[in-house]
């Protein structure tokens, strides 16, 4: 099938489980890579009861088949409603939808189960509900094909990062800070197989968990609580010795590593040194900033130098909800600028900070529709390019 121009909506709900982002993209074939343009972006909070159900399922040590089946269909309804609301606000006729779904479980490495060893992943959100409600074909379930090609099923955003941000003269790092933080590093003039991408560790996940427990707030708006606290240095130093931060890329993380249990232990460690809740918030924010900077220094900086991309400064472009946390952004700037990084939000490059991951799954859906691979093996660890996802027709 020859690639053709299409208008595609990408849907993303991340590990924070705070809501749904929809990005409507115009995507057309180009000489070297697709041409993409953002037409519309909308964000929708999950209803309280749905978010509660999602978080309970993520953290459940046991649940029922009925609960998971219902959640799968309810998420499909929520995604369909988000698409419908977006189209009501914008005069766009869609050709295709790409839906990442809500990750309930992601196990990138093989473990033993029922007599076999294998990796696995699971994203909920019934694609048939979306397709039938919207009358538009849906591409979903993107991660398994990469995992079956030997990859970790993540990160999958690097294709969009490369298409939008690769530059012949400037080295660029695309840092997304959602529940989990991940980066894509593109040396100046690099081909896709020279891209470096991996999850750096916790993004907003621990910060949000503490904001909810300590202040009864869904998140630390603008980093206001953290700004009033002091970082508890011994706790931070201990946490940065977590074995995850020493793993060489490719690597992925999720609630399995930095979820509810991790946040509870984190808070307990902080309270042994300080009873001031703002100090715990400051320490959680510093954990995100330090783990990002440490990851860049350990796994990216020298490779950018070797490949000749830091004759000038590196553009360090931040997206995701963390880009709106001014305390976190200040901490990142303090740590990254000495390494030659110029910090910016993705909006300064024309892409709203909450839109990037949704935009990525619009592009991946377009790739799948045209039988083109969507993974970047250098990022996921796959042995070959793979066509991602499954198509559900309307």
């Amino acid at each position: 099938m020859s690639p053709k121009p299409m208008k595609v909506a990408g849907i993303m709900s991340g590990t924070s489980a705070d809501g749904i982002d929809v990005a409507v993209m115009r995507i057309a074939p180009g000489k070297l890579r697709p041409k993409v343009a953002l037409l519309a972006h909308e964000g929708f909070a999950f209803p309280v009861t749905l978010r509660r159900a999602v978080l309970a399922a993520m953290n459940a040590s046991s649940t029922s088949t009925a609960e998971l089946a219902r959640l799968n269909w309810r998420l499909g309804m929520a995604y369909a409603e988000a698409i419908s609301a977006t189209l009501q606000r914008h005069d766009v006729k869609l050709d295709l939808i790409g839906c990442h779904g809500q990750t309930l479980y992601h196990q990138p490495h093989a473990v033993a189960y029922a007599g076999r060893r294998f990796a696995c992943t699971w994203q909920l959100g019934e694609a048939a509900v979306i397709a039938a409600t919207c009358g538009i074909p849906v591409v979903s379930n993107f991660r398994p094909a990469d995992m079956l090609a030997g990859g970790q099923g993540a990160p999958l955003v690097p294709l969009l990062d490369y298409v939008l941000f690769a530059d012949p003269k400037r080295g660029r790092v695309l840092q997304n800070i959602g529940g989990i933080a991940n980066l894509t590093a593109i040396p100046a003039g690099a081909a896709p197989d020279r891209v470096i991408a991996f999850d750096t560790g916790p993004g907003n996940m621990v910060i949000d968990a503490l904001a909810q427990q300590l202040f009864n707030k869904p998140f630390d708006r603008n980093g206001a609580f953290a700004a009033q606290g002091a970082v508890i240095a011994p706790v931070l130093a201990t946490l940065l010795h977590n074995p995850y931060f020493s793993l060489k890329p490719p690597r992925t993380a999720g609630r399995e590593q930095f979820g509810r249990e991790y946040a509870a232990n984190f808070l307990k460690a902080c309270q042994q040194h300080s009873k001031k809740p703002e100090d715990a918030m400051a320490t959680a924010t510093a954990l995100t900033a330090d783990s990002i900077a440490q990851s860049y220094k350990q796994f990216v900086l020298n490779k950018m130098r070797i490949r000749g991309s830091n004759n000038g400064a590196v553009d360090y472009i931040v997206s995701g909800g963390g880009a709106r946390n001014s305390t976190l952004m200040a901490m990142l700037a303090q740590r990254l600028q000495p390494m030659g990084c110029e910090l910016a939000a993705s909006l300064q490059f024309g892409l709203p900070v909450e839109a990037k991951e949704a935009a990525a799954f619009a592009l991946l859906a377009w790739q799948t529709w045209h039988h083109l691979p969507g993974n970047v093996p250098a990022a996921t660890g796959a042995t070959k390019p793979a066509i991602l996802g499954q198509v559900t027709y309307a």
Side-chain angles (χ1 to χ4, degrees):
M1 181 188 301
S2 297
K4 63 179 183 179
M6 299 178 78
K7 293 176 183 176
V8 188
I11 310 172
M12 182 67 190
S13 58
T15 48
S16 292
D18 51 359
I20 301 166
D21 282 294
V22 177
V24 180
M25 309 293 291
R26 180 189 293 114
I27 307 174
K31 287 185 179 180
L32 298 177
R33 52 189 188 241
K35 299 176 182 177
V36 299
L38 178 69
L39 301 179
H41 167 252
E42 296 289 345
F44 304 90
F46 276 141
V48 173
T49 53
L50 179 54
R51 184 168 194 257
R52 188 180 300 128
V54 170
L55 291 172
M58 283 179 172
N59 291 318
S61 56
S62 64
T63 187
S64 71
T65 304
E67 182 76 16
L68 295 176
R70 291 166 182 158
L71 181 58
N72 183 45
W73 279 63
R74 180 64 184 88
L75 281 165
M77 293 175 188
Y79 296 141
E81 290 160 2
I83 289 288
S84 298
T86 299
L87 296 182
Q88 287 174 5
R89 299 175 190 179
H90 302 274
D91 185 19
V92 179
K93 181 175 174 57
L94 286 181
D95 300 301
L96 186 65
I97 296 169
C99 181
H100 171 267
Q102 183 67 53
T103 298
L104 278 201
Y105 185 71
H106 186 69
Q107 177 199 301
H109 301 291
V111 300
Y113 177 80
R116 297 290 298 274
R117 290 182 62 83
F118 53 91
C120 63
T121 189
W122 196 19
Q123 286 74 43
L124 266 62
E126 181 53 58
V129 172
I130 307 169
T133 304
C134 299
I136 300 165
V138 176
V139 183
S140 61
N141 204 27
F142 289 91
R143 298 194 185 276
D146 177 80
M147 296 176 75
L148 292 166
Q152 296 195 17
L156 296 182
V157 176
L159 180 65
L160 179 81
D161 287 336
Y162 187 83
V163 166
L164 277 181
F165 295 104
D167 188 274
K169 296 181 179 179
R170 296 279 293 188
R172 284 180 170 163
V173 176
L174 294 311
Q175 178 76 56
N176 190 74
I177 307 176
I180 292 296
N182 55 75
L183 69 75
T184 303
I186 311 171
D193 63 357
R194 306 292 293 276
V195 167
I196 307 157
F198 58 95
D199 288 351
T200 56
N204 302 317
M205 188 173 287
V206 180
I207 299 170
D208 290 352
L210 266 61
Q212 291 157 28
Q213 184 167 343
L214 296 174
F215 299 97
N216 197 30
K217 299 289 184 181
F219 58 93
D220 185 9
R221 186 179 295 277
N222 206 32
F225 294 127
Q228 298 172 44
V231 174
I232 305 170
V235 172
L236 180 61
T238 300
L239 292 169
L240 288 171
H241 282 95
N242 186 313
Y244 178 83
F245 300 129
S246 299
L247 289 176
K248 292 182 179 179
R251 70 186 197 198
T252 60
R255 286 189 177 274
E256 295 78 16
Q257 290 85 8
F258 299 107
R260 181 179 62 185
E261 293 78 12
Y262 181 92
N265 290 331
F266 175 96
L267 181 57
K268 189 184 221 181
C270 289
Q271 290 176 336
Q272 289 175 352
H273 293 265
S274 170
K275 299 300 182 184
K276 186 178 177 183
E278 290 84 358
D279 290 351
M281 295 299 300
T283 307
T285 306
L287 174 65
T288 295
D290 276 337
S291 59
I292 288 171
Q294 181 175 295
S295 294
Y296 178 77
K297 182 177 182 180
Q298 187 171 1
F299 300 114
V300 178
L301 176 62
N302 287 337
K303 293 181 181 179
M304 299 286 272
R305 283 178 174 163
I306 290 168
R307 293 167 189 171
S309 65
N310 79 326
N311 294 329
V314 170
D315 297 319
Y316 207 102
I317 304 167
V318 184
S319 60
R324 296 196 179 279
N325 182 327
S326 60
T327 302
L328 175 57
M329 290 292 281
M331 287 184 177
L332 279 173
Q334 182 183 38
R335 290 154 175 77
L336 290 168
Q337 284 174 351
M339 292 186 275
C341 297
E342 292 184 359
L343 211 65
S346 63
L347 183 60
Q348 295 171 244
F349 289 79
L351 192 65
V353 296
E354 293 92 350
K356 193 179 80 166
E357 289 196 312
F361 286 95
L363 176 59
L364 292 177
W366 186 88
Q367 294 281 120
T368 300
W369 188 260
H370 293 105
H371 302 171
L372 298 171
N375 63 335
V376 177
T380 66
T383 58
K384 61 180 181 180
I387 299 170
L388 307 179
Q390 300 165 329
V391 180
T392 302
Y393 294 93

